[in-house]
Amino acid sequence: MDEIINYIKTWLLYGNADEAQNIGYTDDEREWSKYKLVIVPNHLLGNDIVLPDLKTPRVEQWSADETSEKTVNVVRTDIIYNTFFFISRAEEVINTRRDEHGRFLATYSILNQRNRLMVPTLDEYARMATKAVGLPLPPTGFAHIYLTHDVDTIAHYRHIRGAVGGILRGEWRQVLRSWQDIENDPAYTFPWLIKQDKRVPLAESVFFIKHSFGKGYDYPQYNHHSPDARRLRKLLEQNKVTIGWHSSYYGPGSIERRTSRTNELAIHRSHYLNCSIQTMRQLCELGVTDDFTMGFPDRAGFRLQTSRAVLWIDPEKMQLTELVLHPLLIMDTTLVNNNYMHLDQEEAAYLCQQLIDKVRMHNGDLCLLWHNSNLGTNTYLRALYQQLITELSH
């Protein structure tokens, strides 16, 4: 338990392990004089998981007696437990509601019910704790920018089922143009995405590639030895983008491990953003180091209540793992899907700007997800992505 508590204290101080020793986590007032900041426990880690107290914490001044010259900053809201609750996804242990895909949605979460998705609460805790121990705050700006893309399909019409479906829908001209040159396929937007991503000098462009059978919700499969797949990989490698592993809707199975390139197993995102506690345990066992799944599919915002990367804590085993969770802030389909937020372009642009500004204010990591296959003329997603890239490039 001490390992988890020490990690959280250090994380709240932006990695300053030495200064973290000046944070006490005790309700024993006889111990308080040893510290610069005391956080009073409301609920002991390792006991039954309960919902956190989300009231705004206050810093009080405390001294041992009237003659004491030393004052200690005291916070009576248990921000250690609250931090554990959100970065471990402990809520998913006590709330068993899931959608038809087995996902825990924002709709089920206390974050949505209490209007907290727009607020990175843990980043606010970090600022408060940092100031309370006398450290300078990090500057405004982005620590990292991740422009990520899930390659669910390389092309719409370059496989038999897609071509037949297109013809039946009267899209035979598009099918013909796609078969003449993959560059004409509406899903093959990779050159455009790479060009946009390069406009943001500090950004890391990440493409998550599937290695599944292509059955059911994993449809369509793309043959990694086909000319189209080799052409895509050559394009990505020539442009020095990061290539990650997009695991199956049905979980990261052994077949994927055998067929995936070893270096691409380290960086991961689950298909359909379907990532349970059991899935994260599997990722740890498979040696995945960085996961980019942690966003709600149905609402944009701060699922982990932070914009900063964190180590995942197994909330049932109470173990600190080596799996780094990178919070996903905004996914394109979240904005437009009829079953999700269903925003028009103006509403979506305003929401994105509000969220991005929060990340910038806290010097956090900005992570966006735009699918290559969603940039057709029937949505505003291409125009919105270009707008966001333009703002980030300045």
Side-chain angles (χ1 to χ4, degrees), residues 143-160:
H144 301 92
I145 298 176
Y146 297 105
L147 303 175
T148 73
H149 313 285
D150 292 356
V151 185
D152 295 339
T153 184
I154 296 177
H156 285 317
Y157 303 121
R158 302 271 293 188
H159 48 92
I160 298 300

Side-chain angles (χ1 to χ4, degrees), residues 339-382:
N339 296 323
Y340 297 157
M341 300 191 78
H342 193 43
L343 304 176
D344 63 31
Q345 183 171 350
E346 184 177 351
E347 292 169 334
Y350 179 77
L351 175 73
C352 291
Q353 194 59 64
Q354 294 292 107
L355 290 170
I356 290 171
D357 285 347
K358 292 285 179 58
V359 176
R360 183 187 287 110
M361 181 176 70
H362 290 285
N363 193 244
D365 296 350
L366 174 63
C367 182
L368 306 179
L369 165 54
W370 248 250
H371 294 77
N372 63 288
S373 51
N374 288 344
L375 300 176
T377 57
N378 58 333
T379 75
Y380 57 75
L381 291 174
R382 180 186 288 259

Side-chain angles (χ1 to χ4, degrees), residues 306-336:
T306 180
S307 60
R308 297 163 52 209
V310 293
L311 291 179
W312 180 58
I313 301 168
D314 189 315
E316 294 176 312
K317 298 181 179 181
M318 291 305 295
Q319 291 178 351
L320 181 67
T321 74
E322 296 182 357
L323 177 63
V324 180
L325 303 182
H326 297 270
L328 171 61
L329 187 67
I330 303 165
M331 178 173 69
D332 53 1
T333 52
T334 302
L335 303 173
V336 301

Side-chain angles (χ1 to χ4, degrees), residues 85-145:
F85 183 87
F86 289 115
I87 66 176
S88 69
R89 299 307 310 142
E91 184 179 13
E92 295 168 40
V93 175
I94 58 176
N95 186 338
T96 59
R97 290 191 66 186
R98 301 294 186 269
D99 73 351
E100 67 272 24
H101 304 293
R103 301 176 300 182
F104 183 76
L105 301 181
T107 308
Y108 312 147
S109 175
I110 60 169
L111 295 176
N112 190 56
Q113 295 161 9
R114 301 187 188 180
N115 297 317
R116 303 295 295 186
L117 278 171
M118 295 293 294
V119 182
T121 303
L122 305 188
D123 293 346
E124 295 181 346
Y125 290 169
R127 291 176 66 89
M128 179 186 65
T130 299
K131 291 171 65 176
V133 299
L135 292 175
L137 293 172
T140 57
F142 301 108
H144 301 92
I145 298 176

Side-chain angles (χ1 to χ4, degrees), residues 234-268:
K234 182 179 180 181
L235 175 69
L236 298 179
E237 291 175 348
Q238 285 178 337
N239 286 278
K240 297 181 172 59
V241 305
T242 301
I243 300 176
W245 174 32
H246 198 34
S247 69
S248 169
Y249 169 91
Y250 304 98
S254 59
I255 182 64
E256 295 180 291
R257 181 171 172 80
R258 290 197 298 270
T259 59
S260 298
R261 300 190 179 195
T262 303
N263 63 323
E264 291 172 17
L265 274 175
I267 301 172
H268 169 269

Side-chain angles (χ1 to χ4, degrees), residues 263-279:
N263 63 323
E264 291 172 17
L265 274 175
I267 301 172
H268 169 269
R269 176 178 286 135
S270 292
H271 195 32
Y272 271 65
L273 299 187
N274 198 345
C275 198
S276 65
I277 288 172
Q278 183 59 37
T279 303

